[in-house]
Amino acid sequence: MNFEKTLSRRSFLSLSALTAASALAGCASTSGSPTQQPISFPNPIRAFQTVPAPSDAELAVMYGPVEDGGFLIPAVPYQQIDPRFYRQQVIDPTGQPPGTIVVDTPSRFLYLVQPGGTAMRYGVGIGREGFAWQGSGVIQWRQRWPRWKPPNEMVARQPELAKYSIENGGMEPGLKNPLGARALYIFSNGEDTLYRLHGNPDWRSIGKAVSSGCVRLLNQDIIDLYDRVPNKAPIVVWQ
């Protein structure tokens, strides 16, 4: 099959999907008049893909154990995660300039826009309702194996976190640290939003609204994103 025709067809499908309320959901279908048969896609991810979905062998490498910074990050049981949340290259649905990070909160996706109309897409877990931040900013700085310092407001709600407070120096880096292997810190108008893109020791949270205000990725994915994104990269968070 001609690649350009295939890509053009996929571009059409992606644009059609974006017009639906469930544009970035796990299933794309239309149901025309009674005389028409519904159109369904057995693998809806491919409507946004520019390359085939990762094979099992590729996924085993992508989400296998990683030795990093003196820590051994365990393998992710990716078979137990919805495949649409696997890291993969897709046709860019954001319309943002290359180099921009876009967090699509409702769809639980993070995009890193690339040249040529494509983007790297990652599955994320997002903040519980009432804790999430939205807007535009920049990645002011990045850190490998960060210390976790819960804000004073969180400590006030959860006094058991006082030993990890800013005043006490936070939680030391490690596999149990809520920020995981990497953290990217978002500033807006020169001020810290207290909103982070960070690693995640709990793979079960990907695709769910569970964290307290931050965007969490699999540790293997945040390492990949960290290596692609420089300081001062623009970021947009959609609600």
Side-chain angles (χ1 to χ4, degrees):
M1 182 179 293
N2 183 276
F3 176 78
E4 293 183 356
K5 291 182 179 179
T6 302
L7 182 57
S8 176
R9 178 177 179 273
R10 288 173 178 169
S11 300
F12 171 77
L13 292 176
S14 68
L15 292 173
S16 298
L18 285 170
T19 64
S22 60
L24 296 179
C27 181
S29 63
T30 59
S31 54
S33 65
T35 60
Q36 295 176 316
Q37 292 296 319
I39 301 174
S40 62
F41 303 99
N43 186 351
I45 302 172
R46 293 182 181 275
F48 292 91
Q49 285 178 318
T50 60
V51 296
S55 66
D56 283 340
E58 291 170 325
L59 289 167
V61 173
M62 287 168 54
Y63 295 120
V66 177
E67 187 173 354
D68 182 271
F71 301 100
L72 181 60
I73 301 171
V76 174
Y78 62 88
Q79 301 92 337
Q80 300 183 49
I81 298 175
D82 189 324
R84 64 196 174 108
F85 295 124
Y86 296 159
R87 182 199 326 160
Q88 56 200 286
Q89 188 179 34
V90 299
I91 294 172
D92 172 39
T94 72
Q96 297 295 317
T100 305
I101 297 171
V102 178
V103 180
D104 183 350
T105 301
S107 299
R108 314 292 195 260
F109 290 140
L110 181 151
Y111 296 92
L112 174 59
V113 182
Q114 298 178 314
T118 66
M120 288 299 298
R121 190 180 76 187
Y122 306 81
V124 300
I126 55 93
R128 292 190 302 264
E129 185 177 1
F131 289 83
W133 175 84
Q134 65 177 331
S136 60
V138 298
I139 302 300
Q140 185 69 21
W141 61 296
R142 309 170 306 146
Q143 191 169 356
R144 297 171 180 264
W145 293 102
R147 299 184 73 87
W148 179 54
K149 299 177 181 179
N152 292 332
E153 293 82 357
M154 181 181 291
V155 173
R157 294 193 303 269
Q158 299 175 264
E160 68 275 12
L161 299 179
K163 59 183 177 180
Y164 304 129
S165 67
I166 296 172
E167 292 78 8
N168 289 329
M171 178 187 287
E172 63 183 13
L175 296 177
K176 295 182 179 181
N177 187 301
L179 294 183
R182 303 285 190 275
L184 284 68
Y185 297 75
I186 303 173
F187 279 55
S188 182
N189 298 320
E191 297 185 357
D192 187 355
T193 64
L194 301 180
Y195 203 65
R196 320 289 188 225
L197 311 179
H198 63 85
N200 173 25
D202 182 10
W203 56 267
R204 296 174 182 83
S205 66
I206 297 302
K208 300 177 183 177
V210 292
S211 65
S212 297
C214 293
V215 175
R216 51 173 66 181
L217 291 79
L218 296 170
N219 273 320
Q220 285 85 343
D221 282 349
I222 194 65
I223 290 173
D224 182 86
L225 179 66
Y226 180 98
D227 290 341
R228 297 175 186 269
V229 174
N231 287 341
K232 305 302 175 65
I235 181 170
V236 180
V237 179
W238 295 340
Q239 296 290 351

